[in-house]
Amino acid sequence: MRTSFTRSLAATALIALCSTAQAGEFNAILDIGDPMPAFSDLPATDGERYSNTDLDADVVVLVSLANHCPWVRGMDQGLIDLVASFEGQSVDVVGFSVNRREDDQLPAMIEHGKKVGYNFTYVYDDSQEIGRALGATRTPEYFVFDKDRKLAYMGLLHDSPARETRSGEILFTNGEPSQFFAQNAVGSTLLGNAADPAETRAQGCSVKYE
Amino acid sequence: MSKWPRFAVLLVLLAGSAGAAAPTRMEVIKLSDWPGIVARSQPQILVVDIWASWCISCIERFPEMVAMTERYGPESVSFVTLNLDDPQDAEGIAWADAFLGRMGGRFSNYHLQENLTISFEALDLNAIPVVLIFDGQGRERYRLTNDNPNKQFQKQDIEDGVQALLTERG
């Protein structure tokens, strides 16, 4: 019995190790093709509460955000443009914040969203579970899910991550963006095609899990 | 071919560098210099703090690193900061340089001249802060990151890594 239990424990450990090994190239938890994690009753900047079951579009984009992060502020306009470009198409975009610092929580999210003109649902998860389940460790970080809610793409918005400097200028790391990874991934997924690339190395602030 | 384009390029370069004083506390290095810097620390254990001025977590935890440099003698542990502020961001680099001056601590300070995309690829990083700990033979033994939401590194992990290597060395 003990031997069997030990074997079972070893097998569990091996599965856990394999799970880690099979996570994404730049994500310790999730891999391409994995199902979208569930979330429930998260408060949003519009005063409503949202669950994953509220999302019925063909493509769902979850975006890890944090108001305080200069990379988020540097790429806010890019995110707003991305959402606008799919207006009228079957795409749901949900931004989420999980940091517990005051300037990343709901009151500050409402203020920031209004200031920059966020045109998508923006939820806060004090439990941090949605971030943990996605393996979201940077802001901004994009997760695109297909109609079956399988992960089709994760990583960067585009190939020239931008940051707001101390004096408020927007600084693009690699000049004018030329490869719009998230945009292309949403477009391909809408057509039922695989995103290429399916994963990129997101660049931004660290998410702090507590 | 006219010499004018070359002259114009020179003017643009000079204009770009005006007011962007070189950092005084950080040595500007290339990625190709990095292995040599790691090798130079031998036979001491080497603790590397990878950071940038825009990284609030890096700034907030930096006093812990300063305190560590005071707990270990230079004969046993070397401390290095590796700054990844964007080479185009003179304001950020100047802030980082001044910050290091304010904080003190027994560090050798370096600034990488390649941008973040290139540096992350070359050093295989996903986000900062990151702390690397090398043993006395220059081998990376601990890579402390925030890459796994369920296992983000703490101050104690740095202490534990250093202590383990000190014990191993005897």
Side-chain angles (χ1 to χ4, degrees):
Chain A
M1 183 72 176
R2 168 168 279 194
T3 307
S4 165
F5 175 70
T6 309
R7 272 192 207 138
S8 165
L9 205 63
T12 307
L14 189 63
I15 289 165
L17 279 171
C18 290
S19 300
T20 303
Q22 287 167 3
E25 190 179 356
F26 310 116
N27 187 309
I29 305 294
L30 220 56
D31 199 1
I32 299 302
D34 284 350
M36 186 171 88
F39 56 91
S40 179
D41 213 27
L42 298 180
T45 53
D46 61 5
E48 303 291 329
R49 301 183 84 89
Y50 291 88
S51 302
N52 61 296
T53 48
D54 296 324
L55 307 172
D56 55 7
D58 287 349
V59 173
V60 169
V61 184
L62 302 181
V63 192
S64 170
L65 297 171
N67 298 321
H68 87 272
C69 173
W71 293 97
V72 168
R73 295 201 299 270
M75 289 183 269
D76 267 342
Q77 192 55 54
L79 169 55
I80 291 165
D81 292 345
L82 172 79
V83 175
S85 73
F86 289 105
E87 193 179 346
Q89 299 186 63
S90 190
V91 179
D92 282 337
V93 178
V94 177
F96 65 91
S97 172
V98 300
N99 279 338
R100 290 191 178 145
R101 27 180 318 135
E102 195 177 339
D103 52 359
D104 284 342
Q105 293 191 22
L106 200 57
M109 290 164 57
I110 293 169
E111 191 179 327
H112 182 75
K114 273 185 189 158
K115 183 180 162 196
V116 300
Y118 276 176
N119 50 357
F120 51 89
T121 302
Y122 189 17
V123 299
Y124 182 66
D125 184 1
D126 183 59
S127 76
Q128 302 191 307
E129 281 310 311
I130 181 65
R132 284 185 195 277
L134 286 165
T137 54
R138 291 147 289 179
T139 58
E141 188 173 3
Y142 286 73
F143 299 86
V144 177
F145 293 89
D146 66 14
K147 196 170 186 174
D148 299 324
R149 299 297 179 260
K150 303 288 188 192
L151 184 63
Y153 170 79
M154 59 179 162
L156 289 163
L157 174 65
H158 53 58
D159 63 348
S160 187
R163 177 173 58 82
E164 187 182 80
T165 65
R166 289 180 175 271
S167 54
E169 291 169 24
I170 305 297
L171 182 67
F172 286 85
T173 305
N174 301 308
E176 196 65 27
S178 60
Q179 294 186 73
F180 295 85
F181 301 125
Q183 176 104 23
N184 293 341
V186 173
S188 296
T189 309
L190 271 172
L191 294 171
N193 299 326
D196 183 21
E199 189 177 359
T200 55
R201 191 190 298 264
Q203 186 174 313
C205 304
S206 282
V207 177
K208 179 74 179 163
Y209 288 95
E210 294 171 38
Chain B
M1 188 176 172
S2 163
K3 287 183 182 169
W4 169 243
R6 271 187 230 156
F7 181 59
V9 167
L10 182 63
L11 278 180
V12 168
L13 287 174
L14 286 172
S17 63
T24 57
R25 294 175 184 87
M26 298 187 289
E27 182 183 338
V28 180
I29 60 165
K30 300 189 289 288
L31 272 165
S32 56
D33 298 325
W34 182 240
I37 289 164
V38 171
R40 273 213 300 268
S41 71
Q42 295 175 44
Q44 280 85 28
I45 291 160
L46 173 65
V47 178
V48 180
D49 187 355
I50 306 181
W51 74 295
S53 70
W54 48 262
C55 168
I56 292 175
S57 304
C58 304
I59 304 297
E60 287 175 347
R61 53 169 297 280
F62 198 79
E64 295 169 2
M65 293 302 295
V66 173
M68 270 195 85
T69 68
E70 290 159 1
R71 280 199 296 280
Y72 294 97
E75 69 288 349
S76 57
V77 185
S78 298
F79 290 89
V80 157
T81 69
L82 184 62
N83 173 271
L84 302 187
D85 273 294
D86 194 290
Q88 306 168 80
D89 185 11
E91 184 186 21
I93 294 169
W95 191 95
D97 208 40
F99 173 77
L100 290 171
R102 286 197 303 278
M103 296 306 294
R106 181 175 58 80
F107 298 102
S108 297
N109 302 306
Y110 298 96
H111 166 70
L112 264 187
Q113 68 175 27
E114 284 86 357
N115 76 25
L116 201 65
T117 305
I118 296 167
S119 302
F120 270 23
E121 286 289 338
L123 300 171
D124 194 20
L125 303 176
N126 290 326
I128 50 176
V130 165
V131 172
L132 307 177
I133 308 177
F134 295 84
D135 65 17
Q137 285 76 51
R139 296 174 299 200
E140 183 185 310
R141 298 286 297 276
Y142 297 92
R143 175 169 284 238
L144 306 176
T145 74
N146 290 332
D147 293 349
N148 186 331
N150 302 317
K151 200 183 172 189
Q152 295 192 318
F153 82 95
Q154 308 292 326
K155 172 189 165 192
Q156 192 58 44
D157 296 321
I158 310 172
E159 294 275 4
D160 291 349
V162 169
Q163 285 296 338
L165 293 181
L166 285 172
T167 303
E168 187 179 294
R169 198 166 66 178

